[in-house]
Amino acid sequence: MGAPPGYRPSAWVHLLHQLPRADFQLRPVPSVFAPQEQQYQQALLLVAALAGLGLGLSLIFIAVYLIRFCCCRPPEPPGSKIPSPGGGCVTWSCIVALLAGCTGIGIGFYGNSETSDGVSQLSSALLHANHTLSTIDHLVLETVERLGEAVRTELTTLEEVLEPRTELVAAARGARRQAEAAAQQLQGLAFWQGVPLSPLQVAENVSFVEEYRWLAYVLLLLLELLVCLFTLLGLAKQSKWLVIVMTVMSLLVLVLSWGSMGLEAATAVGLSDFCSNPDPYVLNLTQEETGLSSDILSYYFLCNQAVSNPFQQRLTLSQRALANIHSQLLGLEREAVPQFPSAQKPLLSLEETLNVTEGNFHQLVALLHCRGLHKDYGAALRGLCEDALEGLLFLLLFSLLSAGALATALCSLPRAWALFPPSDDYDDTDDDDPFNPQQESKRFVQWQSSI
């Protein structure tokens, strides 16, 4: 198979493609991209389920750790203000974990941007291919209409003018037959006309899904960033209520991180299978959706010397017919105009139509060559299999760092807030504040003594 220009499967594609796959019965599944097959779907779901297993193990570990911390710690003597040993280490381990989570957030923003760039490149390639196909249809339609108009008007008028000369009428009718033959051959060049699959619609659907995917990840990243920052603020201010709220939020973000990790892992594995050898799947899917012949699709998707241009015969016959029309018009202009001056006007109009038709024909020859559409195919693959896949791997790293950091924080935060002084909620209150409980108790004692 001919690889698109500038695209070669990356090392990440080869590495992920070599990973073993299994279905729900743990039977091996080939690493061939086949999303329509049940076994392959089960293999990807099993990859995503590994993240669910990781979430379950994380929650069990956190629960066991906190139960052990709550039930097995030695009782503190009443009135003791000596901090428990290891308190500073617990606080600092939580801080380091949160800072690692912030680093993962930066990686996540980069991965989200890379994935978006790759999908945008895919959409741009689809839009450019749609422009090429639409231009081919437009040029064919315009050229056929021009030739048909010339047959109905100028050539008919020319035959009427030249009616006294039988041989000249025969030459005009020969030009008519050649114009009709050229129009018939050109009609077959609009191969995408009437095809139900529209690259424009596919590009719009891809962009629509990508917008919501990008927004969802931005919200997840901002949510985790806020959780990390407010947790650090709660530790610095020794505010129990803020740390408790952020502990609950950390648990929520932990679940979301493991969920996103499952989606990213399954998508990355499936994308690596597709990118390792995309041509067979793209050819089969496009043929099913469009109904076009395999010769046409192979020519544009493979674009190598082993595949000939399926339109070469039509192009040759059209060019030959246009050349014959041109020679016949030159002969008529040379022989008929001196005898029939009124024939000059339709001949000039026919020559103008022929010049425009030849210009459109040369554009069609260039557009129908496989280079242009194959270049768009290669750009789409590079965007999907290089930038988008790289971005997915960075998002996977973000989810992994996020899950580890939040799990560590959830283990450390309850021990950290247990070390906070009991009066931490009143440390920042003013001594003259009438709502300060300490001031209220003092005023109550003074009132009793005065009585």
Side-chain angles (χ1 to χ4, degrees):
M1 295 269 178
Y7 171 72
R8 291 292 183 276
S10 64
W12 286 112
V13 170
H14 288 298
L15 179 62
L16 293 172
H17 185 62
Q18 296 302 321
L19 294 177
R21 291 150 179 73
D23 58 10
F24 291 163
Q25 286 77 34
L26 300 182
R27 294 175 298 190
V29 175
S31 300
V32 178
F33 187 69
Q36 71 280 0
E37 294 183 3
Q38 185 178 6
Q39 275 193 327
Y40 190 79
Q41 296 173 1
Q42 291 181 359
L44 294 184
L45 289 175
L46 195 60
V47 172
L50 294 177
L53 178 62
L55 173 61
L57 293 176
S58 298
L59 294 178
I60 292 173
F61 174 78
I62 293 170
V64 171
Y65 182 86
L66 294 181
I67 291 173
R68 180 179 177 276
F69 166 70
C70 294
C71 300
C72 302
R73 63 175 179 173
E76 297 180 0
S80 174
K81 297 184 178 180
I82 302 174
S84 61
C89 180
V90 170
T91 303
W92 278 107
S93 65
C94 183
I95 292 174
V96 170
L98 293 173
L99 292 177
C102 292
T103 303
I105 292 171
I107 295 174
F109 273 110
Y110 176 76
N112 196 33
S113 176
E114 280 292 299
T115 304
S116 181
D117 290 344
V119 176
S120 297
Q121 189 173 349
L122 169 63
S123 299
S124 299
L126 288 171
L127 291 175
H128 192 270
N130 181 76
H131 175 71
T132 301
L133 295 171
S134 301
T135 304
I136 291 173
D137 292 343
H138 174 72
L139 286 174
V140 169
L141 179 63
E142 179 185 357
T143 304
V144 171
E145 286 182 352
R146 281 182 175 274
L147 288 174
E149 184 69 19
V151 169
R152 289 190 301 270
T153 57
E154 284 87 355
L155 282 173
T156 301
T157 303
L158 190 61
E159 290 177 10
E160 294 175 354
V161 171
L162 302 178
E163 188 175 1
R165 294 285 302 274
T166 308
E167 68 278 9
L168 297 180
V169 173
R173 289 177 178 173
R176 174 195 291 270
R177 287 193 298 270
Q178 293 296 330
E180 292 173 348
Q184 183 179 3
Q185 294 298 329
L186 289 172
Q187 281 181 339
L189 299 179
F191 66 95
W192 202 262
Q193 191 173 13
V195 171
L197 179 64
S198 170
L200 176 61
Q201 187 64 41
V202 175
E204 290 177 350
N205 293 339
V206 169
S207 299
F208 177 79
V209 174
E210 172 58 21
E211 286 179 4
Y212 283 95
R213 185 211 64 81
W214 178 86
L215 180 60
Y217 266 100
V218 168
L219 293 177
L220 176 60
L221 291 163
L222 291 177
L223 176 62
E224 183 172 350
L225 181 61
L226 291 176
V227 168
C228 291
L229 293 179
F230 278 104
T231 304
L232 291 172
L233 179 62
L235 292 174
K237 300 281 289 183
Q238 294 190 343
S239 176
K240 279 188 177 181
W241 70 269
L242 184 57
V243 172
I244 291 173
V245 171
M246 289 302 108
T247 301
V248 176
M249 294 299 297
S250 298
L251 183 61
L252 172 64
V253 178
L254 177 67
V255 175
L256 293 176
S257 297
W258 278 107
S260 65
M261 189 187 305
L263 291 175
E264 292 149 8
T267 305
V269 170
L271 194 56
S272 69
D273 293 339
F274 169 78
C275 295
S276 63
N277 189 17
D279 294 338
Y281 178 77
V282 174
L283 279 170
N284 292 333
L285 179 64
T286 309
Q287 189 171 11
E288 291 176 3
E289 295 292 332
T290 62
L292 294 175
S293 66
S294 58
D295 294 339
I296 296 176
L297 296 177
S298 299
Y299 175 68
Y300 287 108
F301 282 118
L302 305 182
C303 194
N304 54 32
Q305 296 179 353
V307 183
S308 60
N309 188 345
F311 304 108
Q312 188 60 50
Q313 184 178 2
R314 288 184 177 274
L315 291 172
T316 302
L317 293 176
S318 300
Q319 186 177 20
R320 189 179 301 165
L322 293 176
N324 291 336
I325 295 173
H326 188 70
S327 62
Q328 287 171 346
L329 291 181
L330 287 178
L332 287 173
E333 185 177 5
R334 186 172 54 251
E335 296 181 11
V337 171
Q339 301 178 33
F340 304 95
S342 58
Q344 185 173 8
K345 184 178 179 180
L347 282 173
L348 291 176
S349 180
L350 284 170
E351 288 179 358
E352 182 181 355
T353 300
L354 186 61
N355 291 333
V356 175
T357 301
E358 288 179 342
N360 291 346
F361 178 78
H362 290 305
Q363 292 186 52
L364 281 172
V365 171
L367 291 172
L368 286 170
H369 196 276
C370 65
R371 284 192 304 267
L373 290 174
H374 190 64
K375 185 177 180 181
D376 295 332
Y377 176 49
L381 287 181
R382 287 194 300 274
L384 192 62
C385 300
E386 293 178 4
D387 293 341
L389 182 58
E390 180 184 352
L392 272 177
L393 294 177
F394 276 108
L395 288 174
L396 187 62
L397 179 59
F398 147 71
S399 299
L400 187 60
L401 287 175
S402 173
L406 292 173
T408 304
L410 284 170
C411 291
S412 304
L413 284 175
R415 296 189 62 183
W417 84 54
L419 301 173
F420 293 169
S423 59
D424 68 308
D425 293 331
Y426 308 109
D427 286 344
D428 296 333
T429 57
D430 190 356
D431 291 339
D432 295 332
D433 187 356
F435 297 101
N436 189 339
Q438 296 179 2
Q439 295 297 323
E440 290 181 2
S441 62
K442 289 181 180 179
R443 285 195 295 272
F444 180 74
V445 171
Q446 291 175 0
W447 178 72
Q448 280 187 335
S449 61
S450 64
I451 294 177

